[in-house]
Amino acid sequence: MIQDIETNDNYRSLNVSQNIQIYILNSVAWPLKKIQNDQTSFPKCFQAQMDQYLKQYQNSYKNRKLVWLFNEGSAELLFVSNNNKYFQGKYALKSNTYQMIICLQINDEKNYQCTLKDLQIKTKIPKEIFDINLIPLIKNKILQLEGGQNNQLESIIKNQLESIVSINTSFENQKKVIFVVPKQFTYISQKEQENIDKEVEQSRVMIIKAYIVRIMKSKKVMSYKDLLEETINLVKNCSKTFYPNVKQFKKCIEDLQDDYITRRQEDPNTFDYVP
């Protein structure tokens, strides 16, 4: 996590636009959920900056891979309605990244409208996620769906893909800030959370093992106490993604025995490196 802060500080100059802020997070340190097969397209207005950021980062870290997590992002859209009844028609929309992409895509369309099918194809948002995020935009009357009543929305969005969706240019609301992030989209089941935690733990254990082997290869012989202290310090100072604990260290020692290290029979607290 500390390393992520330093990395983002180093690349802060690339976030030159006031319209977008990019953060790089290490998958080992952060329990982030990745949507499988997510090929969502960047909005055209951000594409050039995204490409510049990616190019600069890959020039510095050639062996690292960046995966965009649209599901972890948030957005604030400022828009003006033709209806000046409240706030002179000026509103702020608090959304997630998918909803921002949907709104910006419709805004680029002729007459600010298109079919559900075209909208989903152009944004490339996975269909299930597209449906979940579109519904709150329509229910809050940010967007309008042809023939769409609230009790029919899910059915129309799912089955009637030629229906027209458009921007509500006469939008009005007594609240200046409108929140539209769907609750079910932000929810992570207990099983999913357990799987995420398990993957993070496995990744951390692999890192600890690598440092133990590196230390033992260099020192050849070490006591349990010295190996524990040096491993924890090395992971803290070099990895900077998490702080290992004794429980993790013990598990790694058990897994590495015989293949990479051995305990001395006469002194179980001393380890020898296995070349």
Side-chain angles (χ1 to χ4, degrees), residues 52-266:
Q52 178 194 8
Y53 195 96
L54 185 61
K55 182 179 179 180
Q56 291 283 356
Y57 183 83
Q58 291 180 334
N59 285 340
S60 300
Y61 302 97
K62 298 185 183 299
N63 295 323
R64 295 185 185 179
K65 180 181 179 182
L66 284 182
V67 178
W68 298 108
L69 299 178
F70 295 99
N71 54 298
E72 298 290 347
S74 61
E76 179 176 314
L77 296 170
L78 305 180
F79 65 99
V80 180
S81 170
N82 292 336
N83 188 332
N84 297 324
K85 184 175 181 180
Y86 302 106
F87 314 110
Q88 297 181 325
K90 298 178 181 179
Y91 298 92
L93 180 66
K94 297 283 189 178
S95 72
N96 60 36
T97 304
Y98 289 120
Q99 292 172 314
M100 175 198 71
I101 292 172
I102 289 172
C103 290
L104 291 178
Q105 181 60 50
I106 296 181
N107 192 60
D108 287 340
E109 296 293 326
K110 184 178 180 180
N111 297 325
Y112 309 119
Q113 65 179 30
C114 65
T115 65
L116 290 172
K117 181 179 180 180
D118 287 343
L119 183 58
Q120 194 267 321
I121 290 175
K122 290 179 179 179
T123 59
K124 297 183 181 178
I125 299 174
K127 185 63 169 67
E128 182 179 355
I129 297 173
F130 175 83
D131 293 351
I132 290 173
N133 285 283
L134 181 62
I135 289 173
L137 292 171
I138 297 173
K139 284 187 174 181
N140 284 278
K141 300 181 180 180
I142 306 297
L143 303 179
Q144 299 176 131
L145 180 63
E146 182 182 54
Q149 302 297 325
N150 281 351
N151 59 348
Q152 301 174 327
L153 278 181
E154 292 187 19
S155 176
I156 294 175
I157 291 174
K158 184 176 181 179
N159 302 308
Q160 300 180 29
L161 302 183
E162 296 301 324
S163 296
I164 301 295
V165 60
S166 61
I167 293 177
N168 179 11
T169 56
S170 299
F171 176 82
E172 67 174 54
N173 198 299
Q174 294 183 7
K175 295 181 179 179
K176 186 175 181 64
V177 180
I178 316 298
F179 293 85
V180 293
V181 178
K183 293 182 180 179
Q184 62 264 48
F185 184 71
T186 57
Y187 173 76
I188 298 179
S189 68
Q190 183 177 354
K191 184 177 180 180
E192 288 176 319
Q193 186 61 55
E194 289 174 354
N195 289 336
I196 292 172
D197 293 341
K198 184 178 179 180
E199 290 177 4
V200 171
E201 179 65 18
Q202 289 175 344
S203 298
R204 291 179 176 180
V205 166
M206 290 298 294
I207 290 175
I208 297 172
K209 286 181 181 179
Y211 280 110
I212 291 175
V213 172
R214 181 186 299 181
I215 293 169
M216 289 301 299
K217 186 176 182 180
S218 173
K219 300 294 181 67
K220 306 302 182 185
V221 178
M222 289 196 77
S223 68
Y224 176 90
K225 181 180 178 182
D226 291 342
L227 181 57
L228 171 63
E229 291 179 354
E230 188 160 344
T231 300
I232 290 178
N233 289 332
L234 196 60
V235 173
K236 283 182 180 179
N237 296 328
C238 297
S239 177
K240 295 184 179 180
T241 55
F242 68 98
Y243 294 125
N245 56 52
V246 176
K247 182 179 179 181
Q248 290 172 325
F249 177 80
K250 288 182 177 180
K251 174 175 174 52
C252 293
I253 289 294
E254 292 175 2
D255 293 344
L256 291 172
Q257 283 194 63
D258 298 329
D259 291 330
Y260 294 95
I261 59 175
T262 57
R263 288 181 184 268
R264 290 188 175 181
Q265 292 184 352
E266 65 276 14

